[in-house]
Amino acid sequence: MTVLCLERALLPEGWAERVTLRLGADGRIVAVEPGRGEGEPVPGIVLPGLANLHSHAFQRAMAGLAEVAGPGEDSFWSWREAMYRFLARLGPDEVEAIAAFAYAEMLEAGFTAVGEFHYLHHDPEGVPYAEPAELALRHVEAARATGIGLTLLPSFYAHGEVGGAPPGEGQRRFVCDLDLFAKLHERCARAIRDLPGGRIGIAPHSIRAVTIEELRWLAELFPEGPLHVHASEQPREVEACRRVHGTTPIALLAETIGLDSRTCLIHGTHATEAERRRFAASPAVLGSCPITEASLGDGIVPATAFFREGGRFGVGSDSNVQIDAAAELRQLEYSQRLASGRRNCLSEPGRSTGRVLFETALAGGAQALERGPVGLRPGASADLVVLDPDHPDLLGRSDDRQLDGWIFCAGKAAVREVRVGGRRVVEAGRHVAKDGIGARYRPVLARLLS
Ligand SMILES: [Zn+2]
């Protein structure tokens, strides 16, 4: 049995010292004993690992490449065209090398699990590979190589616009009919069974890409596991939904598939007040991707009202333009400050904003990715993020002030060590397999950008 002694740790009950953590052979916590002081010492400030609930790993390789002003107005839609051009050059080896690099960076940045919302299925001509789940399985291999906890969310994508319009040329690599998707999902489920810490769900892409009938079919055919959908990211999507369905996207999803505890709506940026209240009162999770939403000019999610109404949320790195758990939480809070002219929006009177943000996103992310018990408690995976107490932004502080220092100042630079299921995957701030992962990533990038 592995026994660790955490110098200082954030437990569900609060901060504790010299915490003995006993782990089972499966990497799950068997016992937590504050003050006991037995076991292999883990110096530093130990936090439970945060889930990154929304990623499109391949987009990591185009980070920073869509920052040139076009002749027309730049928006999410012009960025999407640049993304479609970029992915035309990606094959299975490229996808795996990029995903492994992105997952190693996520671990280095304080994320211990990822929800991979995977919609890039076919070859550049739009023809399914001989193995229909080829590219999804490459993400499974990337997770295995890095040790990150993967919740694979194969995405169903069939149409180009709300109401079932045919997909465009740039979308041909994503498109499945229901039969092909069922086959692809079955292959993914089989691969996930052999991946330590692997989970599987489904991701109907959005109401742009999936009809109401298809949504109902997917929810019924796959009744287990997380269900993620992009919703209300852009005003154009909301307008199209009103035109075609006479209602708004979140209300439509609530009526079609319900907002239950398996559901995670990604973005929710342009939720109306009525649907925001309904969403907040439900057990579903809001998957906020604040850095990507800022990068794409999506708008500001009404997170403060949603939070005050009791809504659950987690964070995702989405386009992976920047990978940093603390920076996502910071950007979410800062977006609310910019919109409201107030400070400490996603907090409660007298409490540390960093602590409230962290614990809310910890619970929301774990639920959305079905990662099991939340925090360092028996039954949970021993996913640990160790911060450096000597980092200048944490120095001289203690407990919640150190958490605030990490989230609002230091970010990933303060992450010293990370363990997933008790196994050390980041040492001295660097992934233990980064040399090999980087050696495969660099030529891929050179080829893609040549
Ligand atoms: Zn997305």
Side-chain angles (χ1 to χ4, degrees), residues 44-119:
I45 304 151
V46 182
L47 306 174
L50 203 64
N52 176 5
L53 58 63
H54 188 69
S55 159
H56 308 291
F58 75 84
Q59 293 175 11
R60 168 64 183 89
M62 61 171 287
L65 292 177
E67 308 301 331
V68 178
E73 204 167 85
D74 284 309
S75 67
F76 167 84
W77 306 103
S78 59
W79 173 87
R80 193 177 72 158
E81 289 307 315
M83 186 264 283
Y84 286 174
R85 286 194 295 276
F86 180 78
L87 64 80
R89 310 188 71 178
L90 298 178
D93 292 344
E94 288 79 13
V95 163
E96 185 174 338
I98 297 166
F101 194 78
Y103 294 168
E105 288 187 315
M106 288 175 197
L107 289 160
E108 291 171 346
F111 288 122
T112 52
V114 61
E116 183 62 37
F117 193 116
H118 174 71
Y119 59 83

Side-chain angles (χ1 to χ4, degrees), residues 54-56 59 76 79 117 119 205 230 233 266-267 289 292 296 317-319:
H54 188 69
S55 159
H56 308 291
Q59 293 175 11
F76 167 84
W79 173 87
F117 193 116
Y119 59 83
H205 181 274
H230 292 111
E233 182 173 9
I266 307 301
H267 304 304
C289 307
T292 294
L296 298 183
S317 63
D318 193 358
S319 69

Side-chain angles (χ1 to χ4, degrees), residues 34-35 38 51 60 80 113 145 159 167 212 218 286 315-316 328 340 402:
E38 274 176 34
R60 168 64 183 89
R80 193 177 72 158
H159 309 283
I212 299 310
L218 289 163
L286 168 68
V315 290
E328 292 291 355
S340 68
Q402 289 172 317

Side-chain angles (χ1 to χ4, degrees), residues 144-371:
R144 200 189 309 280
T146 55
I148 201 164
L150 174 68
T151 297
L152 184 59
L153 302 159
S155 180
F156 179 80
Y157 197 119
H159 309 283
E161 198 38 271
V162 181
E169 171 105 358
Q171 295 160 332
R172 63 189 173 180
R173 299 193 71 179
F174 317 152
V175 175
C176 286
D177 62 20
L178 294 170
D179 284 345
L180 179 58
F181 182 73
K183 199 181 296 174
L184 192 151
H185 191 279
E186 193 271 325
R187 305 287 298 175
C188 291
R190 204 181 305 168
I192 282 294
R193 277 200 289 274
D194 297 331
L195 180 73
R199 302 273 187 287
I200 187 154
I202 53 164
H205 181 274
S206 58
I207 57 150
R208 290 181 272 131
V210 185
T211 64
I212 299 310
E213 295 70 35
E214 288 161 346
L215 262 174
R216 287 209 179 92
W217 185 87
L218 289 163
E220 276 173 32
L221 192 74
F222 303 99
E224 307 282 324
L227 186 156
H228 288 216
V229 194
H230 292 111
S232 285
E233 182 173 9
Q234 282 286 323
R236 193 171 108 182
E237 173 197 331
V238 179
E239 286 154 23
C241 187
R242 277 209 170 97
R243 209 166 45 242
V244 173
H245 298 294
T247 187
T248 46
I250 295 172
L252 183 66
L253 288 164
E255 279 146 32
T256 312
I257 52 170
L259 298 177
D260 59 17
S261 60
R262 72 182 299 212
T263 308
C264 178
L265 303 187
I266 307 301
H267 304 304
T269 318
H270 298 282
T272 63
E273 191 177 327
E275 61 185 359
R276 185 200 71 221
R277 286 182 193 280
R278 185 174 183 179
F279 186 7
S282 82
V285 174
L286 168 68
S288 193
C289 307
I291 291 175
T292 294
E293 288 154 12
S295 163
L296 298 183
D298 283 342
I300 297 175
V301 64
T304 307
F306 181 78
F307 173 70
R308 300 238 162 98
E309 289 156 4
R312 304 171 187 206
F313 67 80
V315 290
S317 63
D318 193 358
S319 69
N320 295 309
V321 65
Q322 185 188 354
I323 294 175
D324 189 331
E328 292 291 355
L329 297 172
R330 183 193 316 143
Q331 178 67 33
L332 181 59
E333 167 66 24
Y334 280 4
S335 72
Q336 306 304 299
R337 296 186 188 187
L338 287 166
S340 68
R342 295 177 183 273
R343 304 188 76 251
N344 300 312
C345 301
L346 299 170
S347 193
E348 291 155 6
R351 293 199 66 198
S352 140
T353 301
R355 173 87 175 265
V356 174
L357 273 169
F358 180 77
E359 289 187 334
T360 308
L362 183 73
Q367 179 185 318
L369 299 189
E370 214 175 55
R371 304 308 303 173

